[in-house]
């Protein structure tokens, strides 16, 4: 008997009919002989709507109350899903994150899981029932307060439970058929990736491919949990995320079970798929802003003072660029990118330093987009950057910042040219498929 964790995102449970459809799917997996744990997100855009509601009440809601509010979304979907499964004649019981033993640190709004103690989930499985767990939430043992794991955190709940329970596979059900070479909402000819390594998926997720949240991939790599990303609207096999040389997990009776081309001798493409592609895909991110500290004295310690203050304010920094200083003035500009919602906090921290560091001014720009090309094969392939920058030049797109890692090149562009930039790079690396990808549901919010 296999143990499967199945996670259903908001667009898969957006109304009563969808909840019944998902319930059927879970009941089938259970009837096929598997132990099933289902992790569920809030219905549709509930989380966004609750955030909007809080903003109408106060511009600065206390973080603790925000977490209590947002966890309500997942409580609604988990109980409805349990009811729908019971109605199909399969026993199911729902649990909040706290009841399921998701123990976190105390950071409201982006808590980290520190332990998973799923004794009630295990007991439920032993009794032959399906366990439904609310995604995105846990409890801090010191305060006994509920916490949330950050946007998209239900993916992390699912992988953490899969690791804690020793599941055979963690299936992430969403509104597209898997991980594609680009977001199919922007590039309709994006191609589905059959399998991708943790390393490449980490770079895709860190670069904005929100089909899997970054922390869930980090967790999966650390605990060696195979992930299968697939659509809840089709029976097609999706994308396997696992170590480059691990075999595909075998789970009996799952609809559209993945057959790994590496181990399937009848697959005519086997020869081809043994050779990993140079590029996995193109990711984009619209959620960042850019702050430029203008006319910073070019002396040792300026950057340290600025970034220490920003770090002390709890701001996450992404890209950093320092211009060459003008010899005549001894002044330079330092720009960095950060999550747009942290721009006000960072600005306040930097303004407080003005009398000490004596920089000229601060510029805040939230009309930027980030595009990243990811592929483990690029480190051994010269010419990747030349082709990348050539594609942006041919599309007449201006580049504002550049960073690289061993397996990624990222650039910042104007927000309104980002979609075009993604399509240009995707085509330049010959990633387009003949058929168009299907986006089954969701608002893309
Ligand atoms: P869920 O509600 O199921 O968690 P999300 O909206 O968080 O779904 O993630 C699925 C969405 O991720 C897709 O609808 C798609 O628009 C977006 N996406 C971004 N990049 C990719 C990619 N490379 N492959 C597939 N989907 C992607
Ligand atoms: N409902 C939460 C969100 O919208 C968590 C999740 O869906 O993963 O971010
Ligand atoms: Mg998601």
């Amino acid at each position: 008997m296999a143990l499967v964790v199945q996670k259903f995102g908001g667009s898969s449970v957006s109304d009563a009919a969808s909840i019944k459809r998902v319930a059927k799917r879970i009941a089938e997996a259970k009837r096929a002989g598997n132990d099933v744990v289902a992790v569920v997100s809030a219905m549709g855009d509930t989380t966004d709507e609750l955030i909007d509601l809080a903003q109408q009440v106060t511009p600065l809601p206390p973080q603790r109350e925000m977490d209590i509010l947002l966890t309500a979304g997942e409580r609604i979907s988990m109980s409805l899903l349990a009811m729908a499964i019971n109605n199909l004649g399969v026993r199911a019981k729902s649990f909040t994150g706290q009841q399921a033993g998701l123990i976190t640190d105390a950071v409201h709004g982006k808590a980290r899981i520190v332990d998973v103690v799923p004794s009630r989930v295990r007991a439920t499985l032993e009794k032959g029932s399906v366990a439904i767990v609310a995604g995105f939430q846990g409890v801090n043992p010191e305060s006994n307060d509920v916490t949330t794991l950050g946007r998209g955190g239900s993916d992390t709940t699912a992988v953490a439970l899969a690791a804690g329970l020793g599941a055979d596979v963690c299936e992430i059900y969403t509104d597209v058929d898997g991980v594609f070479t680009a977001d199919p909402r922007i590039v309709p000819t994006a191609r589905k990736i059959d399998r991708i390594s943790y390393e490449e998926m980490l770079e895709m997720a860190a670069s904005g491919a929100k089909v899997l949240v970054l922390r869930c991939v980090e967790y999966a790599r650390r605990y060696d949990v195979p992930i299968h990303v697939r659509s809840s609207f089709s029976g097609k096999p999706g994308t396997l995320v696992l170590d480059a040389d691990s075999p595909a997990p075998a789970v009996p009776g799952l609809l559209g079970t993945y057959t790994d081309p590496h181990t399937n001798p009848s697959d005519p493409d086997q020869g081809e798929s043994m050779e990993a592609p140079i590029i996995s895909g193109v990711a984009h991110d619209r959620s960042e802003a850019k702050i430029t500290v203008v006319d910073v004295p070019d002396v040792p310690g300026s950057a340290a003072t600025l970034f220490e203050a920003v770090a002390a304010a709890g701001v996450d920094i992404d890209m950093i660029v320092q211009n060459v200083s003008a010899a005549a003035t001894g002044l330079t500009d330092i720009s960095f990118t950060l999550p747009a919602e942290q721009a006000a906090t960072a600005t306040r921290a930097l303004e407080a330093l003005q009398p000490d560091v004596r920089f000229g001014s601060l510029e805040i720009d939230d009309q930027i987009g980030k595009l990243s090309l990811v592929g483990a094969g690029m480190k051994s392939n010269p010419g990747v950057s030349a082709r990348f920058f050539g594609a942006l030049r041919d599309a007449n797109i201006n580049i504002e910042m550049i960073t690289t890692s061993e397996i990624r090149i990222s650039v910042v562009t104007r927000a309104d040219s980002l979609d075009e930039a993604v399509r240009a790079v995707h085509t330049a690396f010959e990633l387009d498929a003949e058929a168009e990808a299907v986006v089954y549901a969701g608002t893309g919010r």
Side-chain angles (χ1 to χ4, degrees):
M1 185 186 280
L3 170 54
V4 191
V5 174
Q6 303 187 316
K7 178 257 170 178
F8 296 91
S11 54
S12 297
V13 290
S14 59
D15 54 22
S18 320
I19 290 174
K20 284 164 113 174
R21 191 175 46 81
V22 163
K24 232 174 118 205
R25 192 149 196 153
I26 295 170
E28 274 168 33
K30 174 71 190 152
R31 288 199 173 114
N34 302 293
D35 275 340
V36 185
V37 176
V39 173
V40 68
S41 292
M43 294 170 69
D45 290 333
T46 300
T47 307
D48 291 289
E49 286 156 13
L50 291 173
I51 293 171
D52 290 349
L53 196 57
Q55 287 295 328
Q56 290 171 41
V57 175
T58 162
L60 271 181
Q63 293 275 33
R64 176 186 181 275
E65 304 309 321
M66 246 355 248
D67 275 358
I68 293 178
L69 177 68
L70 296 188
T71 51
E74 270 73 9
R75 289 181 78 127
I76 296 173
S77 49
M78 77 182 204
S79 48
L80 291 173
L81 185 55
M83 292 175 200
I85 297 172
N86 278 297
N87 187 49
L88 296 174
V90 172
R91 273 172 302 156
K93 216 171 174 179
S94 67
F95 299 97
T96 63
Q98 176 167 16
Q99 291 172 321
L102 271 293
I103 312 296
T104 74
D105 63 16
V107 186
H108 285 294
K110 51 173 181 180
R112 272 185 184 275
I113 297 171
V114 293
D115 201 4
V116 182
V117 195
S119 41
R120 293 193 69 183
V121 172
R122 241 191 225 112
T124 305
L125 297 178
E126 275 159 19
K127 284 190 191 128
S129 300
V130 170
I132 314 290
V133 177
F136 170 62
Q137 52 179 268
V139 65
N140 175 246
E142 279 85 48
S143 62
N144 211 22
D145 277 333
V146 297
T147 51
T148 62
L149 308 179
R151 298 307 305 272
S154 299
D155 295 346
T156 316
T157 304
V159 169
L161 271 172
L165 293 163
D168 295 86
V169 64
C170 180
E171 296 192 311
I172 303 281
Y173 285 92
T174 185
D175 52 15
V176 290
D177 277 316
V179 181
F180 284 72
T181 48
D183 185 343
R185 287 179 205 271
I186 294 183
V187 185
T189 51
R191 187 182 306 189
K192 198 202 80 188
I193 301 168
D194 286 341
R195 70 180 274 162
I196 185 169
S197 66
Y198 292 125
E199 193 193 16
E200 289 166 295
M201 193 63 230
L202 273 176
E203 292 278 359
M204 290 283 282
S207 309
K210 69 165 182 161
V211 61
L212 286 182
V213 81
L214 176 62
R215 277 195 188 162
C216 111
V217 189
E218 287 171 347
Y219 213 101
R221 179 170 67 167
R222 189 166 342 128
Y223 294 96
D224 219 356
V225 177
I227 301 180
H228 185 181
V229 183
R230 58 193 310 192
S231 167
S232 71
F233 298 83
S234 83
K236 294 184 194 163
T239 301
L240 270 188
V241 186
L242 73 180
D243 259 341
D245 20 81
S246 301
V251 178
L254 275 194
L255 188 60
T257 294
Y258 187 89
T259 27
D260 192 344
H262 287 216
T263 54
N264 179 8
S266 64
D267 188 322
D269 292 335
Q270 188 179 17
E272 259 173 71
S273 52
M274 294 301 279
E275 172 118 25
I278 297 167
I279 299 300
S280 338
V282 185
H284 73 280
D285 192 345
R286 257 179 248 290
S287 67
E288 294 194 347
K290 179 172 81 173
I291 294 185
T292 304
V293 192
V294 182
D295 287 346
V296 182
D298 195 5
V299 293
S302 288
T305 311
L306 295 175
F307 287 112
E308 275 164 11
V310 173
V315 170
D316 309 307
I317 289 179
D318 183 15
M319 300 164 112
I320 301 177
V321 169
Q322 174 175 328
N323 288 347
V324 179
S325 69
T329 60
L331 297 172
T332 183
D333 293 347
I334 297 180
S335 298
F336 62 92
T337 63
L338 73 174
E341 73 272 8
Q342 296 181 349
T345 310
T347 307
R348 238 174 286 134
L350 289 168
E351 276 166 357
L353 288 179
Q354 213 291 327
D356 289 340
V357 181
R358 299 185 166 277
F359 56 81
S361 58
L362 290 175
E363 285 172 6
I364 293 103
D365 180 354
D366 60 5
Q367 292 305 304
I368 61 161
K370 187 174 83 170
L371 175 157
S372 306
L373 181 72
V374 174
M378 70 167 72
K379 53 187 164 194
S380 52
N381 271 274
V384 170
S385 344
R387 202 199 284 198
F388 177 76
F389 292 117
L392 294 173
R393 173 203 55 211
D394 294 347
N396 201 22
I397 284 156
N398 194 43
I399 298 165
E400 301 183 13
M401 294 170 102
I402 305 172
T403 59
T404 59
S405 82
E406 239 194 344
I407 66 166
R408 174 183 52 78
I409 312 174
S410 300
V411 294
V412 166
T413 68
R414 284 293 89 206
D416 57 11
S417 47
L418 183 61
D419 287 3
E420 203 192 331
V422 171
R423 288 190 282 264
V425 170
H426 193 265
T427 301
F429 283 90
E430 295 168 6
L431 297 172
D432 294 295
E434 310 232 308
E436 293 210 346
V438 187
V439 177
Y440 295 93
T443 57
R445 196 171 167 183

